[in-house]
Amino acid sequence: MNTSLAAPESALRFRWLEAPAAGTSREVAPGVIWLRMPLPFALDHINLWLLADGDAWTQVDCGYGDAATRALWQQHFSETLKGRPIRHVIATHYHPDHLGNAAWLAARWDCAIAMPQAEYLTAHAISDEHAGYGVAATSALFRTHGLAAEQVAALEARGNAYRRGVPELPLSFAHLAAGDEIAVGPQRWRVIPGYGHSPEHASLYCADLGVLISGDMLLPKISTNVSVWPVEPDGDPLGRFLASLDRLAELPSGTLVLPSHGLPFVGIAARVEQLRAHHAGRLAELEAAANRPVSAAEIVPVLFRRELDLQQRFFAMGEAIAHLNHLWHRARIKRLITADHAIRFVAP
């Protein structure tokens, strides 16, 4: 996630002004329970959603796979679940704060994990560093885009951070696809696909409740990370992300949005337009900055006007490449490849 994007108060309405305390819960719609778990990053929390499912529960997203989160889960097992088991686990996408405890929960409750196939396969590829996913490939990509040698070395020294957040991976899954409807108790939740933030993100919409579990595709105060990775170095994930927002903007204006980060809100169309305006503004700034050949590393300060830690720089580089690639694909700038294979961008 990156830059703060607080929409005008008139655009968004927050139903609650604070999250439930760690280890507690709050019902936000009939049978929809809000849990909040800590994250060991600058973005320090994730919202998880527990859905009443007859005499059991369905859990949407699982938190980061560390001891602190699992201790809170043990508390929820004894208190929040009220003696009912978790019957299904749904992961909106493969990122560690969403998938980190999925295999652990599935083993504890002997239940299946449902997620999109692209997310399942990507999780395994990153964990095992196969098929162009991994530290070495990412370091090579960022080096090509101008990241300084000492920063590349710091990235390499960090190793495979994904495995720390997802210590166990599921070895089977139930396939979620765009348009699928999932029965949870008396309700049906439709899968709305999202692209750009991850390969095949699954948001969940329940028309009867007027609720969207948006995952990371729609957040109230920050823009979700949209990055280029070495497996698709010439890709345009920002274009796919912006196109995905169309599906969300079509939902009714009174929809309660349950995001993975921040507070639940109403005002989905306004938020989509604010995100579009944000990216349009940043793209215009990058276009102006490319009045001479520039690297992605050089334009990171244009996108991120603050000091970045190692993890934030990792995502900032991916996002800088994504914005430059987007301009390049639309012929708003040119891409240059030097004799030593360095990549730079410049106005046409």
Side-chain angles (χ1 to χ4, degrees), residues 230-307:
V231 69
E232 193 185 2
D234 297 341
D236 182 17
L238 181 57
R240 292 195 294 272
F241 173 74
L242 294 172
S244 296
L245 292 178
D246 291 342
R247 300 182 184 92
L248 301 179
E250 293 169 355
L251 296 178
S253 60
T255 299
L256 175 64
V257 180
L258 305 181
S260 292
H261 309 282
L263 299 174
F265 67 94
V266 174
I268 191 168
R271 186 57 183 153
V272 165
E273 286 309 306
Q274 209 247 350
L275 284 166
R276 289 188 179 283
H278 164 76
H279 284 290
R282 289 307 172 86
L283 288 166
E285 289 179 284
L286 296 188
E287 193 173 13
N291 58 359
R292 60 176 180 84
V294 294
S295 68
E298 288 177 292
I299 62 89
V300 163
V302 178
L303 289 176
F304 300 87
R305 298 160 187 170
R306 65 185 189 278
E307 289 297 316

Side-chain angles (χ1 to χ4, degrees), residues 116-334:
Q117 184 177 47
E119 304 293 333
Y120 175 82
L121 295 175
T122 300
H124 282 272
I126 292 179
S127 182
D128 296 339
E129 300 196 50
H130 287 323
Y133 291 96
V135 176
T138 303
S139 296
L141 175 70
F142 289 176
R143 188 181 297 111
T144 297
H145 281 276
L147 190 63
E150 64 272 16
Q151 293 172 339
V152 173
L155 174 62
E156 291 173 334
R158 187 178 71 154
N160 191 330
Y162 188 78
R163 290 182 191 151
R164 291 194 285 277
V166 190
E168 310 97 356
L169 279 169
L171 297 180
S172 63
F173 75 112
H175 190 181
L176 288 186
D180 282 356
E181 290 199 349
I182 306 163
V184 182
Q187 312 297 345
R188 300 190 72 82
W189 295 80
R190 175 166 57 90
V191 175
I192 300 177
Y195 305 98
H197 175 64
S198 70
E200 196 180 1
H201 184 292
S203 298
L204 303 173
Y205 174 64
C206 179
D208 288 344
L209 294 176
V211 170
L212 172 73
I213 297 177
S214 64
D216 282 347
M217 287 299 294
L218 196 61
L219 305 173
K221 295 208 172 188
I222 58 175
S223 63
T224 197
N225 179 264
V226 178
S227 287
V228 164
W229 302 115
V231 69
E232 193 185 2
D234 297 341
D236 182 17
L238 181 57
R240 292 195 294 272
F241 173 74
L242 294 172
S244 296
L245 292 178
D246 291 342
R247 300 182 184 92
L248 301 179
E250 293 169 355
L251 296 178
S253 60
T255 299
L256 175 64
V257 180
L258 305 181
S260 292
H261 309 282
L263 299 174
F265 67 94
V266 174
I268 191 168
R271 186 57 183 153
V272 165
E273 286 309 306
Q274 209 247 350
L275 284 166
R276 289 188 179 283
H278 164 76
H279 284 290
R282 289 307 172 86
L283 288 166
E285 289 179 284
L286 296 188
E287 193 173 13
N291 58 359
R292 60 176 180 84
V294 294
S295 68
E298 288 177 292
I299 62 89
V300 163
V302 178
L303 289 176
F304 300 87
R305 298 160 187 170
R306 65 185 189 278
E307 289 297 316
L308 302 174
D309 62 25
L310 179 60
Q311 190 215 29
Q312 291 169 331
R313 184 164 294 279
F314 171 76
F315 287 111
M317 275 297 296
E319 189 140 354
I321 300 168
H323 280 72
L324 290 167
N325 274 10
H326 185 73
L327 290 170
W328 168 52
H329 279 284
R330 279 151 183 76
R332 291 170 62 179
I333 58 176
K334 295 190 298 184

